[in-house]
Amino acid sequence: MVIARVLLALLLLTSIASAQGLEVEFSPFGDPEGKVLAELAQARATVDVAQYNIRSQRIFDALSAARARGVRVRIVVDAKNAAKPWNTLDDAFEAAGFDILRYTNTG
């Protein structure tokens, strides 16, 4: 879970009008999930997520709320990891109508 939070904090790209630059959060000393949730709450145009896996219901809810207010949300996850039985949120995103790509690294 810690690695997922760090990766999400590092790889989450949002289009926010007031953004001044890139910030990095590290766990366990920081609160990367809290930072991501705060940024998602401010998103107004697009959110592009590149994530090894997404297993946080709070992130799912925040991305759902962003989309409900008209933010375009696109998600890329690792296909091999997404196929594991404990990684179910990619399926939930797809069922909810999100743009999601399960990427397979061929290199």
Side-chain angles (χ1 to χ4, degrees):
M1 187 65 147
V2 171
I3 292 173
R5 288 181 182 171
V6 171
L7 288 174
L8 187 57
L10 292 174
L11 298 178
L12 183 66
L13 304 174
T14 59
S15 175
I16 301 172
S18 63
Q20 297 296 314
L22 180 66
E23 294 182 35
V24 178
E25 293 282 327
F26 292 96
S27 186
F29 305 110
D31 180 20
E33 185 177 57
K35 179 64 175 173
V36 168
L37 293 170
E39 293 294 325
L40 290 174
Q42 297 178 56
R44 298 290 174 252
T46 62
V47 174
D48 295 323
V49 178
Q51 177 67 31
Y52 183 65
N53 65 34
I54 302 174
R55 297 190 306 195
S56 169
Q57 185 64 46
R58 291 174 49 183
I59 298 295
F60 178 89
D61 294 344
L63 288 169
S64 296
R67 195 174 72 146
R69 55 177 196 274
V71 176
R72 181 178 182 194
V73 177
R74 298 179 296 183
I75 303 167
V76 178
V77 296
D78 180 80
K80 184 177 177 182
N81 196 50
K84 299 198 176 169
W86 59 84
N87 288 328
T88 59
L89 278 184
D90 62 304
D91 296 327
F93 279 113
E94 185 173 55
F98 281 84
D99 292 330
I100 185 165
L101 172 68
R102 290 171 186 87
Y103 176 75
T104 301
N105 184 356
T106 58

